[in-house]
DNA sequence: TCTGGGGTCCTAGGACCC
DNA sequence: TCTGGGGTCCTAGGACCC
């Protein structure tokens, strides 16, 4: 009989408050306290809002043109998104977190899960550990984070929500440290739609069943949840009860599909411009494909008109199988453009186009086709490696296929992007 | 004039096989 | 006249996430 008891799992969820907004503020402290938003690609929607803007009732995803009046009235500052900067800041936060616990899952650009049950005591417990994470991340990157701790991922998310919304937690909430009656009170005060895994659709159906709050979902029967909504909801329900069903995904799995698409800065009608844009998206997707050392056996290409317009709509997509899996930008581009020829119809004003690489597999393990030619494959790999190196060192798009065009009049709008402070020598911040 | 982009997992139902 | 049923694989679509 073993006398060694494994400690119960303890998950921490660390997320950066208003991540994109906070990244901008880290380099322009004068923006602190000023209402501001960061806009999606094409300066379309607000995808990050400062607390001041949230207080004005602006919802996530509000189109910028719809809030212009409000913006004028309250002097809301708007920034175009600067993904190079955000990606780099995100990596810095993850580096810091890995020092606290090696069992770290990077869940999204601004959130990580950590398993902390074996290390929390080194810092004086979960709450003290959370406070030290906050301090170090603030000091080293300038970013504010909140920490939620619980026995399951779903409860850690819930705790994080409490930490974010309620100042009395001082940015760190450990559910275990909250007395039971208080936990019940917190759970009964928050809408069921806030639970991780419960989206708008399911929340509405739950409401009809009389389940309105987190507590009511926690107290529902998991079996019944499964009957109505499937295994995902059964798991969510169990996780709320403290039964851990979702493990930490600390090993990064290669993506199963890689997408690149954009809305155009203005309507596009000609096939020439669609060709250019698709070639340019494809080179991004293929570069990502090579980064994860995969090859793709099929390219999906699609074009769409503006669904918000009253014009006649045309949406089309086509999957083009590759004769053999490849990571070569030029081969994949040829396939995508062949697909475009099939689906293109003239006479429409296109708003968006994109490509998706699918049927991905590991490049090393790939089956050689009988037509495969070692020398050809090797030349292709060398060419792509050189391309990736140049674009890495001199900025993406430095070397690209001629098919992607030179003027790129279809390119997205991006009117107010901040400098890429941390990744470009010529855009370094200057301190006077 | 202006409305993002990139993912995952699950399930139902059809195709196909024996 | 009688015209099965179960298993597996694949795909499309729905739901969710940030």
């Amino acid at each position: 009989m073993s006398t060694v008891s494994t400690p119960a799992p303890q998950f921490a969820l660390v997320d950066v408050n208003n991540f994109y907004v906070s990244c901008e503020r880290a380099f322009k402290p004068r923006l602190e306290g000023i209402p501001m938003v960061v806009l999606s690609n094409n300066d379309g929607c607000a995808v990050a809002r400062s607390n001041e803007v949230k207080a004005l009732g602006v919802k996530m995803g509000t189109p910028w043109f719809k809030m212009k009046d409000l913006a004028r009235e309250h002097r809301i500052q708007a920034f175009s998104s600067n993904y190079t900067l955000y990606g780099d800041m995100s990596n810095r936060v993850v580096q810091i977190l890995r020092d606290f616990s090696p069992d770290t899952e990077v869940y999204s650009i601004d959130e990580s899960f950590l398993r902390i049950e074996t290390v929390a005591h080194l810092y004086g417990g979960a709450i003290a550990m959370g406070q030290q994470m906050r301090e170090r991340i603030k000091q080293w990157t300038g970013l504010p984070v909140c920490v939620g701790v619980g026995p399951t991922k779903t409860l850690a998310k819930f705790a994080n929500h409490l930490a974010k919304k309620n100042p009395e937690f001082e940015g760190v909430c450990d559910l275990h440290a909250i007395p039971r009656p208080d936990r019940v009170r917190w759970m009964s005060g928050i809408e069921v739609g806030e639970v991780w895994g419960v989206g708008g659709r399911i929340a509405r159906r739950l409401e009809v069943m009389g389940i309105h709050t987190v507590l009511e979902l926690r107290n529902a029967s998991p079996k019944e949840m499964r009957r109505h909504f499937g295994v995902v909801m059964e798991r969510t329900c169990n996780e709320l009860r403290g039964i851990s069903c979702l493990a930490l995904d600390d090993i990064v799995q290669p993506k199963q599909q890689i997408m690149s698409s954009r809305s155009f800065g203005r309507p596009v009608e000609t096939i020439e411009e669609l060709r250019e844009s698709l070639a340019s998206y494809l080179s991004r997707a293929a570069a990502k494909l090579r980064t994860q050392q995969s090859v793709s056996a099929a390219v999906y290409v699609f074009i769409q008109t503006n669904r918000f317009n009253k014009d006649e709509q045309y949406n089309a997509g086509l999957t083009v199988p590759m004769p053999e899996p490849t990571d070569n930008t030029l081969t994949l581009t040829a396939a995508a453009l062949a697909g475009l020829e099939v689906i293109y119809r003239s006479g429409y004003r296109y708003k968006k186009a994109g490509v998706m690489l699918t049927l991905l597999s590991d490049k090393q393990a790939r089956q050689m086709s009988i037509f495969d030619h070692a020398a050809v494959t090797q030349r292709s790999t060398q060419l792509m490696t050189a391309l990736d190196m140049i674009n890495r060192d001199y900025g993406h798009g430095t070397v690209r296929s001629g098919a992607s065009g030179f003027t790129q009049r279809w390119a997205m709008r991006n009117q107010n992007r901040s400098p890429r402070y941390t990744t470009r020598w010529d855009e370094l911040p200057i301190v006077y």
Side-chain angles (χ1 to χ4, degrees), chain A residues 140-343:
Chain A
W140 291 9
T141 68
L143 298 173
V145 304
C146 283
V147 183
V149 179
T152 69
K153 283 179 152 184
T154 305
L155 286 172
K157 272 275 206 184
F158 176 70
N160 186 278
H161 177 90
L162 294 183
K164 232 183 298 181
K165 303 282 176 182
N166 302 282
E168 62 260 48
F169 289 107
E170 295 176 341
V172 181
C173 170
D174 175 11
L175 281 188
H176 193 68
I178 303 179
R180 194 183 143 77
D182 293 335
R183 273 209 307 269
V184 168
R185 189 168 50 77
W186 284 117
M187 282 194 165
S188 62
I190 295 173
E191 289 176 14
V192 70
E194 296 292 341
V195 173
W196 187 42
V198 179
R201 297 280 169 94
I202 288 178
R204 274 200 299 281
R205 287 168 63 192
L206 284 169
E207 299 277 341
V208 173
M209 297 168 68
I211 296 174
H212 310 283
T213 67
V214 180
L215 185 69
E216 284 163 348
L217 180 58
R218 195 217 98 103
N219 290 340
S221 143
K223 285 284 159 259
E224 195 179 336
M225 289 300 106
R226 182 183 185 127
R227 259 215 340 272
H228 283 95
F229 303 99
V231 294
V232 178
M233 274 296 288
E234 181 188 31
R235 278 202 289 261
T236 298
C237 190
N238 277 318
E239 285 244 319
L240 281 178
R241 306 164 84 90
I243 301 162
S244 180
C245 307
L246 302 169
L248 194 81
D249 278 328
D250 49 356
I251 297 162
V252 179
Q253 299 294 334
K255 303 252 180 283
Q256 299 172 40
Q257 53 188 47
I258 293 174
M259 172 123 87
S260 177
S261 73
R262 290 284 183 279
S263 296
F264 301 124
R266 55 162 185 76
V268 161
E269 294 180 50
T270 67
I271 193 167
E272 288 76 21
E273 290 192 296
L274 288 175
R275 282 197 199 108
E276 285 184 13
S277 66
L278 287 170
S280 143
Y281 306 153
L282 201 130
S283 60
R284 278 173 176 277
K288 284 190 210 163
L289 182 72
R290 292 191 292 271
T291 302
Q292 68 166 33
Q293 305 205 49
S294 298
V295 285
S296 166
V299 182
Y300 176 74
V301 50
F302 67 88
I303 51 179
Q304 297 172 354
T305 49
N306 189 344
R307 66 181 198 277
F308 296 103
N309 276 1
K310 294 191 181 70
D311 306 352
E312 196 189 338
Q313 301 288 308
Y314 177 66
N315 298 322
L318 181 69
T319 299
V320 184
M322 304 300 297
E324 59 191 82
T326 180
D327 64 359
N328 185 295
T329 299
L330 303 178
T331 317
L332 291 163
T333 303
L337 296 187
L340 174 66
E341 298 296 328
V342 177
I343 60 177

Side-chain angles (χ1 to χ4, degrees), chain A residues 65-77:
Chain A
F65 77 91
K66 283 192 181 172
M67 52 183 287
K68 283 233 167 112
D69 287 344
L70 194 74
R72 241 189 314 274
E73 188 184 341
H74 295 275
R75 299 178 165 274
I76 299 174
Q77 303 262 318

Side-chain angles (χ1 to χ4, degrees), chain A residues 15-28:
Chain A
D15 95 345
V16 183
N17 308 344
N18 312 333
F19 180 54
Y20 299 167
V21 163
S22 298
C23 287
E24 299 294 342
R25 283 178 172 173
F27 291 90
K28 285 207 191 89

